[in-house]
Amino acid sequence: MKILSLKAREILDSRGNPTIEVELETHKGKFIAGVPSGASTGKHEALELRDGESRRNGLGVLKAVKNIEEIIAPEIINQDVISQNSLDQLILDLDGTEKKSKLGANAMVAVSMAACRALAAEKDVPLYQYINELFNQKREQPLALPRPCFNVINGGAHAGNDLDVQEFMVVPQADTFAENLEIGAEVYQELKSVLKNKIGPSAINVGDEGGFAPALKYPEEAMDFILEASKNKGLQEKIKFILDVAASQFFENGKYKTQMGIFTGVGLANYYFDLISKYPIIGIEDPFAEDDFDSWSLLISRLLPIRQAGKTPAYPAGRQVSKLAVVGDDLTVTNQQRIKLSKEKEACNGMILKINQIGTITEALESASLAKGYEWKIIVSHRSGETGDDFISDLAVGIGAEFIKSGAPARGERAAKYNRLLKIESELKQ
Ligand code: 2PG
Ligand code: MG
């Protein structure tokens, strides 16, 4: 495949902050990619290059744009790109740093994504199919849709309220993506009415990921409102919860400072067991801080004996405890070293996959492959700052991820991903 041109520009993300869009041209057409950006980023993530000058509050990405146009473009224009792997390797060599601090992971991911789209077009296959070929694990499984996780109540760094837990995700349990989307949307709309009636109109203001951001304090309150809404719609039995606690955000001097009080890692683990015994929670993401491996391992070790021996848990927890997904995000940051370390320490049994945490598609696929080898559950994820780009939908299908999270079933940049999945599901049925 010959790249005819590569252009980059600074655009707005969903929070109104600068981000990058690239346009890569081949004889098959123009391929666009938009770069997402996190607010509660893990400290082990690859570097997102920002200008750091007074313009745009220091958040400008003109240096990264320049890196694409002046460092990457001259190396790839008019060259024959034979594979995703060789293109990504070339970008990695041009950068040459561990944290992608020379070019910026945001610059690299933009080019990697656009090239992936172009390579799929070159082969005349849909993006998800091309990704599946790249990912090929010799598991001849049919392509399947991920289960969506809808973030219907926002807290933490994504909302102006006192909820410590960043994301309260509703995970519908129907068999098809279309049905799951419908359930998620029904619960979301009913939750809007419940919050408005019970708390008042300001409770339906939304946070960064499109979920409501009511002035609540405790996780129990948030889940009770969601369950009430589900019940009103007769959907209570059809939903489960996954929480993203994003606990690094409230970890200070070895303690977890929450609205419920100050916890040690052990205390917080006990609190989770209590929560799991009361609510239909099937997964907890970042229950502890990114380097607090002892607490992570403690939580997992209390799950393992239950799973292995089917014994009564040491904590008053329900059946779902043994199946709980303990999911790394800031812990694992889509980085193979961190994933291996987390496995060594038995810290988690699932992980978030975000391409911009690592910088290239090839590395993200390698990370996914590693996690699959460990039989971890994978949640492909958006960032809290997004664009209309729906690449992650194809990624989730291509790698056969169990889950995808893209915020609430509302707001253009979130809905774009879910709508793309609807389209893929209908294509796969044909
Ligand atoms: C997370 C993400 C996405 P952010 O913590 O999982 O929901 O948030 O993009 O702000 O890191
Ligand atoms: Mg997270």
Side-chain angles (χ1 to χ4, degrees), residues 40 166-167 244-246 285-286 328-330 352 354 381 405:
S40 65
Q166 181 178 280
E167 298 165 27
D244 182 2
V245 181
E285 179 186 335
D286 281 349
D329 175 14
D330 292 351
I352 292 288
K354 294 171 174 165
S381 170
K405 66 166 192 171

Side-chain angles (χ1 to χ4, degrees), residues 7 11 54 59 105 122 126 157 173 184 234 245 268-269 294 322 391 429:
K7 291 183 190 141
I11 61 163
S54 58
L59 296 177
E122 193 72 14
Q173 300 295 302
V245 181
L268 193 56
D294 290 348
S322 60
F391 192 98
K429 273 190 195 146

Side-chain angles (χ1 to χ4, degrees), residues 29-77:
K30 288 181 177 170
F31 302 91
I32 316 279
V35 179
S37 171
S40 65
T41 46
K43 71 171 181 230
H44 303 287
E45 291 189 25
L47 182 95
E48 178 180 74
L49 188 64
R50 298 275 181 191
D51 297 340
E53 288 148 10
S54 58
R55 179 184 166 271
R56 308 294 295 269
N57 281 330
L59 296 177
V61 289
L62 296 180
K63 287 181 186 162
V65 164
K66 210 169 161 199
N67 289 345
I68 294 173
E69 296 201 324
E70 293 182 7
I71 302 179
I72 302 177
E75 294 293 325
I76 60 174
I77 289 173

